[in-house]
Amino acid sequence: VNYDALMAEAIELALRGRGQVEPNPRVGALALHAGQVVGRGWHRAYGEAHAEAEALAEAARVGATVDTVVVTLEPCSADKGVGGKKREPCVAALRRAGVARVVLGAIDADPRHRGRAVALLREAGVAVVEGVLAERCAALNRPFARWLTLDRPWTIAKWAMSLDGKIATASGESRWISGATSRRAVHELRARVDAVLIGYRTALRDDPQLTVRDVPGTNPRRIVVDPEAALPLASRLVQTLGEAPLTLLVSESADPARVAALTARGVECLRVAGPGRELDLAAAWRDLRARGVRRLLVEGGGGLFAKLFARDLIDQALVYVAPKVLGGASAPTPVAGPGIAALAQATTFAESFCTTSGDDALVVAIRA
Ligand SMILES: NC(=O)c1ccc[n+]([C@@H]2O[C@H](COP(=O)([O-])OP(=O)(O)OC[C@H]3O[C@@H](n4cnc5c(N)ncnc54)[C@H](OP(=O)(O)O)[C@@H]3O)[C@@H](O)[C@H]2O)c1
């Protein structure tokens, strides 16, 4: 049997999840009965069901038995809880469904799991066909392969701007540039990250809560890069401590009395090394990962983004482009700082694509 056409369809399904699932792999799957497709699935969003499970569930919904599953990536075999894993292993789900043959594209890039599902399935008497459109399937997962090399959170930069690249008017008005659909999507995203982080100037100026309000979902930890522990006790971030935890990244020179006052209110203040009040953000990022932050959303502002791009700490950008023109040579743009002198120094993403979000365009760019 030539499985190329079926695998090509599974690849198309996998691509539907891109922009939403990273740093997880993008995966698509087909469930077959006697050569007919009876279920289709893809990994839709970080933390959601895996592609194989979705395809099997669709087949079950229409009452079909499944003899073959075609999937772009070796199924997961690690138990729930291992390495932050949120779901039961797909290998077990395939066996429970009585699947007789599994057709694979790429083998798991994680050296801890590579080839393990293939061995487990064969041991259980399931026929495994490997390497179908293997290169295209592996290419789907370049961000996942990058993630395996990082010792810090997968970091997503999100901003909203006008068609002409402004994040506020020349007089500083910025609410709201993007539409209601985009703002709701950001709340959904907050529910799918471990933490949301901003610079202290944004915290002081906008007084945000950074909680999940427009949709159901769990609040992430809120983090502020705040070298002098300047966040007021009256800020909404501090006032909403009962809803979600709050961490400040402060310098070693931050006033101990301010730190003590914030700590007494329940704010976690992490001292970050660095020359004077300048925090070593790379070190802070490693520390966040060690504390369990695997997926981090940064919501600005421009001063912070400049430092993060300069340190190569951004893996993905989500840019909401509203159909508005603000103009003004002095109106702020998403990334401030001194910028670079030569184009060759530009941060260059491996891929970018565009979708719509209500009346806005959403541009997604991903490093790999
Ligand atoms: N449209 C949007 O999507 C959007 C999103 C967010 C924010 N905004 C707007 O952006 C504006 C705020 O942006 P902003 O650039 O002024 O401020 P910001 O990015 O919130 O904070 C930047 C400041 O944080 C400090 N900082 C950053 N990295 C540091 C490090 N490694 N060590 C020590 N300090 C560090 C620096 O403070 P010092 O300068 O004191 O050294 C820096 O100026 C607000 O007007 C807000 O409304 C718009």
Side-chain angles (χ1 to χ4, degrees):
V1 188
N2 186 340
Y3 290 108
D4 286 10
L6 290 164
M7 189 61 80
E9 187 181 346
I11 291 171
E12 289 305 315
L13 292 172
L15 284 171
R16 295 188 190 180
R18 78 180 172 153
Q20 307 289 324
V21 303
E22 294 83 1
N24 278 356
R26 285 95 66 112
V27 188
L30 300 175
L32 307 182
H33 174 82
Q36 295 294 319
V37 178
V38 292
R40 291 176 172 81
W42 64 96
H43 188 33
R44 289 165 193 261
Y46 188 86
E48 296 297 315
H50 289 181
E52 307 89 311
E54 286 244 311
L56 290 173
E58 189 183 308
R61 272 199 299 278
V62 299
T65 55
V66 177
D67 53 51
T68 301
V69 166
V70 177
V71 56
T72 57
L73 179 68
E74 179 178 16
C76 66
S77 53
D79 286 331
K80 194 171 166 178
V82 176
K85 203 154 174 290
K86 297 173 201 69
R87 310 236 157 217
E88 299 296 344
C90 287
V91 165
L94 291 164
R95 290 181 53 184
R96 213 172 31 247
V99 172
R101 176 181 287 104
V102 174
V103 180
L104 298 180
I107 296 299
D108 197 330
D110 189 336
R112 293 165 304 171
H113 307 139
R114 183 179 295 156
R116 190 157 170 259
V118 173
L120 286 170
L121 288 167
R122 286 196 174 128
E123 264 171 44
V126 178
V128 179
V129 180
E130 292 179 65
V132 178
L133 303 186
E135 267 175 44
R136 282 179 63 194
C137 288
L140 281 174
N141 295 321
R142 287 200 192 113
F144 177 61
R146 171 184 169 82
W147 162 242
L148 293 176
T149 69
L150 299 179
D151 60 356
R152 55 169 182 78
W154 178 266
T155 305
I156 302 169
K158 169 251 134 188
W159 64 78
M161 67 182 196
S162 61
L163 274 183
D164 56 329
K166 306 295 186 186
I167 60 164
T169 64
S171 65
E173 198 184 331
S174 65
R175 287 185 164 180
W176 298 101
I177 289 180
S178 57
T181 304
S182 301
R183 301 202 302 271
R184 195 176 323 111
V186 170
H187 281 236
E188 274 167 10
L189 178 61
R190 285 178 184 165
R192 291 205 169 98
V193 294
D194 300 309
V196 176
L197 182 145
I198 57 171
Y200 81 98
R201 288 182 187 274
T202 296
L204 296 188
R205 186 176 174 117
D206 296 351
D207 197 18
Q209 301 179 53
L210 304 178
T211 49
V212 180
R213 297 186 303 281
D214 292 356
V215 296
T218 314
N219 288 324
R221 173 174 291 277
R222 291 93 41 91
I223 305 177
V224 183
V225 174
D226 189 5
E228 286 166 33
L231 190 72
L233 295 176
S235 64
R236 290 205 254 179
L237 283 168
V238 176
Q239 296 297 320
T240 54
L241 269 169
E243 291 167 44
L246 173 63
T247 298
L248 304 186
L249 303 179
V250 306
S251 71
E252 280 165 348
S253 58
D255 177 6
R258 284 211 58 76
V259 171
L262 286 156
T263 307
R265 293 294 287 273
V267 181
E268 178 186 51
C269 294
L270 285 182
R271 299 261 182 190
V272 177
R277 76 186 276 292
E278 184 69 25
L279 311 182
D280 179 345
L281 292 174
W285 254 228
R286 285 192 296 273
D287 200 16
L288 292 177
R289 174 70 181 269
R291 288 160 177 271
V293 180
R294 300 164 60 79
R295 197 172 193 242
L296 174 66
L297 174 64
V298 183
E299 298 199 30
L304 178 62
F305 280 143
K307 301 209 182 204
L308 293 174
F309 277 110
R311 298 301 302 266
D312 197 17
L313 290 172
I314 302 291
D315 303 297
Q316 180 173 348
L318 294 177
V319 181
Y320 290 92
V321 183
K324 293 175 185 157
V325 172
L326 309 188
S330 64
T333 56
V335 184
I340 51 166
L343 269 179
Q345 298 168 289
T347 300
T348 305
F349 291 80
E351 55 181 272
S352 74
F353 59 94
C354 197
T355 59
T356 55
S357 173
D359 295 331
D360 302 331
L362 169 60
V363 182
V364 182
I366 302 174
R367 301 291 302 277

